Amino acid sequence: MNWQGELNKYLASAYKNWITSKRNIFTVFELFFWPMISLLSIGLLTRFLKVDASMVSFLLVGAIALTILQVAQIDVAYVLLFDMWSKSIKNTFISPVRSYHLVFGAALFGIVRGSVVFGILAGVSHYLFGFDFQEGGLVPVLIFLGGVFAMAAVIGIAVCISILTFGQKADVAAWSLSGLILLVSGIYYPVEVLPPLLQAAARLLPLTYFLEYYRSIFIPGQHHLATGVFLAAFYLLLGLLLLEYAIERARKTGILLRLSE
Amino acid sequence: MGAAGHGRQAKDRDRMGHESVTQKAVVARGISKKYRSFLGKPATVLSGIDLDVESGEIFGLLGPNGSGKTTLISIFSTLIYPESGSLSILGLDGRRERGEIRKVINISTAKPNFPWSLTVAENLRHYGMLYGLYGRGLSQVVDDQIAAFELGDYRDMRFENLSTGLKQRLSIAKAMINHPRLLFLDEPTTGLDPDMSKKTRDLIQRIHREDNISVVLSTHYMPEAEMLCDRIAFLRKGRIVALDTPRNLKRQLALGERLTVTYQGPADIAALQRMPGVLGVKAAAGRVEIVLDRGDDGAGDGGALGRGNGRADGLDGIIKLFSQARILDLTIKEPDLEDVFIELAR
């Protein structure tokens, strides 16, 4: 098969997610309503607490990161969630696609949606709260976004694995995992305030390092970006391998058939 | 022999010629499958299935609910894997060449489901992309399938708004998107009204005839299997309990239409037993049950009553044997799956 055919196998998931999203009224909530509620809540809280500009940046970076993480991860998870909800998962896995086609295609759409949300939130936070997301230039922004999107892909893959392992009820994982990330990776506070066990867990999450890196633009401090990049690449690779294994296991257990009935 | 009978024979000749240069569509040996629950005992769904499907054949899998038809089709299509046994699809190894197999097969499932909010055209485009189609070729295939399956009026209708019949048609159109060499149809007429069922069967025959592809279909419906299939395997409790052509199965099992005549007066029962197309006669006082071979599409080929004028002549001959008697009641019952299984269970 030539490269165009191979490319279309990736784009198939992005195409399905795009069509489904544009016809879903809840997309408006996902892209605008909840992100704005989150940003405005945190922004107004900083005013109430009369924190300085660097702390405003710290909190708004967390709010923006969490929002685009949630948007992008759900897009990756949607690649199987939509199939599971419509009971059409059988048709996907009868075709000659591999796990990476599905994940990267859906992640591509998640990156587009996440970038749109980032643009909106960055603009609003600049206008209302004086937060300049480009203070360190464009490269740190791109690195930060790259890290958030990689983490989103890993969470989305984890949701897909849980669907293929536990079946219909596993979609709760889609809504829960980003909450756990919120708690552990220092979205609204430095990880140093966490209990030792959770601090250790935070050090295993690439998002922790990408947040530290981006925040170091606004509040000078140490960061370990290379560790974050390594962990993100490692989890992505591990996630894809585990997803491939989960698909094969689902074919052996017959859960793929039950998910279509 | 009628025209349709000639058609079938011609198809056989073509197929036989084809077989000499092509692989069998399916070769299965010792296929077994169990489903395991978390705590409960594993349930055996298929046991030791041995099966060959010839290239160019329409092969039927018949059986009641839970007999393992869908599981077997799912294994053949590599959607799920068997516990044990070997499988070859179109000459490709069912264990080592699954990716290659998926490129040359496709499936239309019972109770077809697709992403709800995608339209007919979008669904076809999406699945075309999953098969690696692109550019104008993809658009052309989508347009071709929409035209071939008469979905033009519903092209922009979302899947969730389609009727059951249209969903089934879309499902078969999707199954043809990659021009498969082997097509699996899992209960293609379940839930359809008689008119739509007939259209679907015509569609299957047309696909098979025009594209010369092998078809494995499962059905509950005996006349459907008879009409479409070259050979049939009966599944019961995960095992094949009979496998042959519809005609031979009916002969072996002495199954056919059951004509029951209740009468008063003399009737030549012995002559009835000698009549062509009569598979069996069960007589009691004033009542006789006659098992008739309706045969294929021809008019009484080789002893069958056939259809149309041939069938009418055969029935006329039977009724004439009761000319000295007074017929009080007369019923005709088509053989159904239940009859087959009752016979197979004896």
Side-chain angles (χ1 to χ4, degrees), chain B residues 263-267 286 322 324-326:
Chain B
Y263 61 97
Q264 258 180 351
F322 292 89
Q324 302 299 310
R326 183 172 170 233

Side-chain angles (χ1 to χ4, degrees), chain A residues 28-249:
Chain A
V28 176
F29 286 83
E30 283 175 359
L31 287 185
F32 304 107
F33 185 75
W34 295 120
M36 289 306 293
I37 294 287
S38 171
L39 184 82
L40 292 175
S41 301
I42 299 298
L44 293 171
L45 184 68
T46 62
R47 279 193 184 170
F48 171 66
L49 296 174
K50 296 187 174 64
V51 296
D52 60 25
S54 61
M55 193 51 67
V56 170
S57 302
F58 184 95
L59 289 170
L60 289 179
V61 165
I64 291 172
L66 178 65
T67 302
I68 59 175
L69 179 82
Q70 287 173 326
V71 168
Q73 70 92 9
I74 199 66
D75 273 316
V76 177
Y78 273 157
V79 73
L80 287 195
L81 283 173
F82 284 147
D83 278 352
M84 186 181 77
W85 291 331
S86 63
K87 298 182 185 297
S88 61
I89 207 163
K90 187 189 273 194
N91 288 317
T92 298
F93 287 103
I94 209 86
S95 67
V97 286
R98 303 291 298 270
S99 57
Y100 48 84
H101 291 120
L102 300 174
V103 167
F104 287 131
L108 181 69
F109 183 62
I111 288 169
V112 171
R113 287 215 317 172
S115 300
V116 169
V117 172
F118 177 77
I120 293 168
L121 296 185
V124 170
S125 57
H126 180 69
Y127 181 72
L128 292 179
F129 306 111
F131 168 62
D132 181 11
F133 73 98
Q134 281 210 74
E135 198 168 303
L138 191 60
V139 173
V141 175
L142 295 177
I143 291 172
F144 169 63
L145 287 177
V148 176
F149 290 139
M151 189 72 213
V154 170
I155 298 172
I157 290 170
V159 174
C160 291
I161 290 170
S162 63
I163 290 169
L164 292 168
T165 307
F166 303 111
Q168 302 270 4
K169 290 170 186 164
D171 58 352
V172 69
W175 322 115
S176 311
L177 276 174
S178 57
L180 276 176
I181 302 296
L182 162 77
L183 178 71
V184 176
S185 62
I187 293 279
Y188 292 129
Y189 39 76
V191 292
E192 286 73 24
V193 305
L194 291 168
L197 196 66
L198 288 183
Q199 277 193 47
R203 290 294 159 205
L204 295 173
L205 293 175
L207 186 62
T208 307
Y209 300 94
F210 285 99
L211 280 168
E212 281 180 354
Y213 165 72
Y214 193 49
R215 280 168 171 158
S216 72
I217 308 291
F218 308 97
I219 307 171
Q222 277 196 327
H223 64 79
H224 302 88
L225 180 62
T227 308
V229 171
F230 169 78
L231 282 177
F234 173 73
Y235 286 134
L236 264 179
L237 188 64
L238 181 68
L240 285 171
L241 289 172
L242 289 177
L243 179 58
E244 195 69 26
Y245 172 77
I247 293 170
E248 290 297 294
R249 187 179 170 279

Side-chain angles (χ1 to χ4, degrees), chain B residues 190-310:
Chain B
T190 296
L192 301 185
D193 61 44
D195 181 47
M196 193 49 71
S197 294
K198 185 183 178 307
K199 282 182 179 170
T200 304
R201 285 193 289 272
D202 292 344
L203 204 63
I204 294 165
Q205 281 180 318
R206 198 188 78 203
I207 290 166
H208 175 252
R209 189 176 56 242
E210 292 177 0
D211 298 325
N212 192 32
I213 56 177
S214 311
V215 178
V216 175
L217 73 87
S218 70
T219 180
H220 289 289
Y221 191 45
M222 180 75 176
E224 178 170 288
E226 239 183 298
M227 186 185 301
L228 292 174
C229 299
D230 299 306
R231 288 188 306 144
I232 295 170
F234 283 95
L235 280 171
R236 200 181 61 168
K237 293 180 180 172
R239 292 179 185 277
I240 293 176
V241 292
L243 194 165
D244 212 323
T245 62
R247 181 88 179 273
N248 286 345
L249 280 171
K250 279 196 307 178
R251 283 197 176 282
Q252 286 164 23
L253 302 170
L255 284 176
E257 284 177 320
R258 284 172 194 273
L259 173 66
T260 306
V261 184
T262 310
Y263 61 97
Q264 258 180 351
D268 191 353
I269 302 298
L272 257 181
Q273 284 168 330
R274 293 192 299 272
M275 282 198 67
V278 173
L279 295 173
V281 175
K282 198 189 288 179
R287 188 173 183 278
V288 62
E289 189 177 286
I290 307 153
V291 183
L292 305 171
D293 182 6
R294 192 170 61 174
D296 296 327
D297 295 338
D301 54 331
L305 283 181
R307 294 189 176 116
N309 289 335

Side-chain angles (χ1 to χ4, degrees), chain B residues 101-122:
Chain B
I101 289 172
R102 288 176 195 134
K103 290 178 188 171
V104 291
I105 63 164
N106 212 321
I107 190 168
S108 170
T109 60
K111 296 180 193 164
N113 281 309
F114 292 101
W116 303 313
S117 57
L118 271 64
T119 65
V120 166
E122 288 162 352

Side-chain angles (χ1 to χ4, degrees), chain B residues 144-185:
Chain B
D144 288 349
Q145 296 310 313
I146 285 173
F149 293 91
E150 297 174 23
L151 289 162
D153 291 344
Y154 314 97
R155 180 187 183 98
D156 298 320
M157 188 180 278
R158 292 187 198 182
F159 179 77
E160 61 192 344
N161 296 328
L162 296 176
S163 67
T164 307
L166 288 170
K167 285 176 180 173
Q168 192 65 61
R169 236 191 286 173
L170 172 63
S171 180
I172 301 176
K174 187 279 310 182
M176 294 299 293
I177 198 92
N178 60 325
H179 298 297
R181 290 169 55 204
L182 173 57
L183 180 63
F184 295 100
L185 302 170

